[in-house]
Amino acid sequence: LRLGEQHVGIQGIGYAQLVSGRDLARHLTTIRQEGFPNFALNPPGERSVYSSIIFVEPFDERNRLAFGYDMLTEPTRRAAMEHARDSGQPAMSGKLHLVQDNGQKDQAGFLMYLPIYLNGSPGDTVEERRTNTQGWIYAAFRMNDVMHELLEQQTLDMDVEVFDGQTATPETLMYDSDGQLSVNALEQGKYVATRTLRIDGHDWSIRQTSQPSFEAQLDTGRTGNIRIA
């Protein structure tokens, strides 16, 4: 797929296998015999069910940090995985920091999941889908990289801020094109527009605020109201 060239922002694409507690030892033995003698699930501990990342591409140094990670142990990831499993549809997680960042909170991330079912058959009910779940295909995204690729030079006249959910706070901020969160956007620019975007069952709030270069192009004597789409 040449992710770094054609899909900038996608840190990796992988598969997390659902493993029951009674099958854990056999699962670990299988992966270790495939050429990974030190393979283990992270975080360690006894649980009734695990999700084990057994494939991730590109399998580079950064993505190897996710190899064996149990995403069900983290609440934000788990919520999206369970939503995908129960609905049979793609689901997007909330704001998080990727394990590939190794504790360096340089930018927000998010994940998208697609459930994989036994024989490709999800079933007609939620209980059947839960029973038939084999695992999840997922893609990991780094927010700054995604937005820079999408917007390119379009933010020169606009400050674009993306928030996780429907509340605009420093805690929910996922991306800010000028790096300066507008606590009160109306004080930062003359024209402001906020809209909610729903993606695979999850909401983002997108706020656009005019920059001086944009305002200078307008004839304010004739312009009353402007809607920034």
Side-chain angles (χ1 to χ4, degrees):
L1 293 176
R2 293 168 26 195
L3 297 180
E5 301 173 34
Q6 299 190 25
H7 304 278
V8 176
I10 301 180
Q11 175 61 39
I13 294 176
Y15 174 67
Q17 182 174 336
L18 190 65
V19 181
S20 67
R22 64 179 178 273
D23 292 332
L24 178 60
R26 182 172 58 184
H27 172 73
L28 294 176
T29 298
T30 298
I31 303 301
R32 289 168 181 170
Q33 290 177 344
E34 291 178 352
F36 304 97
N38 298 319
F39 179 81
L41 262 64
N42 176 41
E46 294 186 4
R47 298 181 283 278
S48 61
V49 65
Y50 304 81
S51 69
S52 174
I53 296 179
I54 59 173
F55 299 118
V56 57
E57 291 293 342
F59 199 54
D60 54 21
E61 181 178 1
R62 184 185 284 256
N63 278 335
R64 279 195 289 271
L65 295 173
F67 190 45
Y69 178 54
D70 181 359
M71 293 187 283
L72 286 175
T73 61
E74 195 280 314
T76 301
R77 291 170 172 84
R78 186 181 187 114
M81 295 167 78
E82 291 179 342
H83 179 70
R85 175 199 66 192
D86 291 351
S87 67
Q89 300 297 318
M92 187 172 77
S93 78
K95 176 185 177 180
L96 47 79
H97 290 282
L98 303 178
V99 294
Q100 290 95 326
D101 285 339
N102 198 24
Q104 300 178 12
K105 298 183 178 181
D106 56 333
Q107 62 176 287
F110 65 95
L111 295 156
M112 296 190 73
Y113 295 95
L114 182 69
I116 300 298
Y117 299 103
L118 180 65
N119 297 324
S121 176
D124 298 323
T125 67
V126 170
E127 288 304 319
E128 288 176 332
R129 287 191 280 274
R130 291 178 178 178
T131 299
N132 293 339
T133 299
Q134 302 294 289
W136 294 263
I137 294 173
Y138 75 94
F141 297 82
R142 305 180 83 228
M143 193 66 182
N144 287 1
D145 296 341
V146 170
M147 295 303 296
H148 289 163
E149 178 70 10
L150 290 175
L151 297 176
E152 295 181 346
Q153 300 298 316
Q154 297 180 39
T155 60
L156 295 178
D157 295 332
M158 294 285 173
D159 176 26
V160 179
E161 298 163 321
V162 181
F163 300 88
D164 184 34
Q166 299 186 18
T167 304
T169 67
E171 292 73 27
T172 61
L173 181 68
M174 297 186 69
Y175 172 77
D176 187 355
S177 62
D178 69 359
Q180 300 178 13
L181 174 62
S182 303
V183 177
N184 183 346
L186 292 175
E187 296 178 359
Q188 302 298 320
K190 292 183 179 180
Y191 306 103
V192 180
T194 302
R195 60 178 296 186
T196 299
L197 181 65
R198 192 161 186 81
I199 306 173
D200 290 334
H202 195 82
D203 289 337
W204 280 355
S205 295
I206 302 175
R207 183 166 67 191
Q208 294 172 277
T209 306
S210 61
Q211 300 283 60
S213 57
F214 175 84
E215 296 160 8
Q217 302 175 45
L218 302 178
D219 182 350
T220 55
R222 292 186 298 172
T223 303
N225 296 312
I226 291 183
R227 179 172 182 265
I228 306 173

